[in-house]
Amino acid sequence: MKSFEKLLQENKNWAAEKQASEPGFFKQLAKEQKPEFLWIGCSDSRVPAEIIVNADPGEMFIHRNIANQMVMTDFNCLSVLQFAVAVLQVKHVIVCGHYNCGGVKAALSKQRYDLTITNKWLMHIKQVYRLHQDEINALPTEAQRIDRLVELNVIEQVQALSHTSIIQQAWSQQQKPMLHGWVYGLGDGLLKPLVTLESGCDIGPIFQYENAANV
Ligand SMILES: [Zn+2]
């Protein structure tokens, strides 16, 4: 059996087991989704969002990209955020990074000449490094420098979420969602919370919208 055929076979097995253990599960879920969480994570295959938090289909709306970034000009991530917040009205948005992230590691090194598109994407993380380079450079090993940049990158992305009109409008009108920054350990499978922002928190004046309720 070829590797992709195994996926199709495993899917049949999974659907049959789910239907047997929870009759009507798919029928009910097919009607609508009401996820409580938006998850913005890294595309890394070792950080499968639903599996590491033991979530079922329907529980999390998910966006993943290299190094879990919330880039202001990325309509992909922004449209996911807008739909999750304005339509699904999720209660929590979680940015989840992970230690030893290949994207962060690459951003801390010289650019590979041939990865033209990926380099542009990683440029945003180089900017996070530039903001915090004194703290990062003071760490003794490369692994520690990468892991600290992983954490700082998560915190920066949560800040970036709070700078969007989407979040500021939702906070003004619904007092939600709560924003979370977490980091996942590839070596132990555990999540560590780093930061939480919620309606009413301090946002730098230059990032505030004048009247978020009418944005
Ligand atoms: Zn990663």
Side-chain angles (χ1 to χ4, degrees):
M1 187 186 285
K2 295 193 173 81
S3 58
F4 73 90
E5 290 172 338
K6 181 173 176 292
L7 294 184
L8 293 168
Q9 185 55 52
E10 289 292 349
N11 167 253
K12 277 189 189 134
N13 300 344
W14 171 79
E17 282 169 24
K18 195 76 188 166
Q19 180 60 27
S21 63
E22 294 180 54
F25 176 82
F26 292 110
K27 210 169 185 180
Q28 183 60 33
L29 202 59
K31 289 180 191 162
E32 62 173 342
Q33 63 166 336
K34 283 185 185 168
E36 198 172 312
F37 309 97
L38 165 61
W39 177 280
I40 300 172
C42 183
S43 299
D44 194 301
S45 63
R46 299 164 296 179
V47 196
E50 288 101 334
I51 291 177
I52 64 173
V53 294
N54 204 19
D56 254 339
E59 287 191 58
M60 298 204 298
F61 203 62
I62 293 181
H63 176 82
R64 290 169 68 178
N65 61 45
I66 293 176
N68 43 271
Q69 296 185 72
M70 216 313 292
V71 175
M72 285 295 177
T73 50
D74 175 17
F75 282 96
N76 187 351
C77 188
L78 284 173
S79 57
V80 169
L81 177 68
Q82 184 168 58
F83 189 78
V85 171
V87 179
L88 299 175
Q89 303 201 338
V90 295
K91 293 179 183 165
H92 303 273
V93 178
I94 299 156
V95 176
C96 184
H98 65 98
Y99 290 123
N100 200 22
C101 177
V104 172
K105 201 176 192 170
L108 262 185
S109 44
K110 286 189 177 168
Q111 321 256 44
R112 241 182 77 177
Y113 186 74
D114 56 328
L115 294 180
T116 51
I117 307 294
T118 317
N119 284 339
K120 288 178 178 61
W121 185 250
L122 295 179
M123 197 63 78
H124 301 287
I125 301 177
K126 288 181 187 284
Q127 297 295 344
V128 178
Y129 166 74
R130 198 165 60 86
L131 279 173
H132 302 278
Q133 58 184 315
D134 290 344
E135 178 189 344
I136 293 167
N137 290 346
L139 294 167
T141 68
E142 193 200 3
Q144 285 171 301
R145 290 192 285 275
I146 291 166
D147 285 351
R148 185 56 186 149
L149 184 54
V150 163
E151 294 179 346
L152 291 166
N153 180 49
V154 167
I155 292 165
E156 288 290 334
Q157 304 315 312
V158 173
Q159 296 281 356
L161 282 170
S162 76
H163 299 162
T164 63
S165 57
I166 297 165
I167 291 297
Q168 288 186 29
Q169 185 184 25
W171 277 353
S172 168
Q173 294 178 343
Q174 317 163 22
Q175 287 73 56
K176 65 174 185 180
M178 190 180 276
L179 310 180
H180 307 263
W182 295 351
V183 64
Y184 175 77
L186 294 175
D188 60 13
L190 294 174
L191 287 165
K192 180 168 100 178
L194 296 172
V195 64
T196 305
L197 294 183
E198 57 188 325
S199 176
C201 72
D202 278 340
I203 299 172
I206 63 163
F207 295 109
Q208 288 174 16
Y209 286 88
E210 280 184 328
N211 189 353
N214 298 322
V215 170

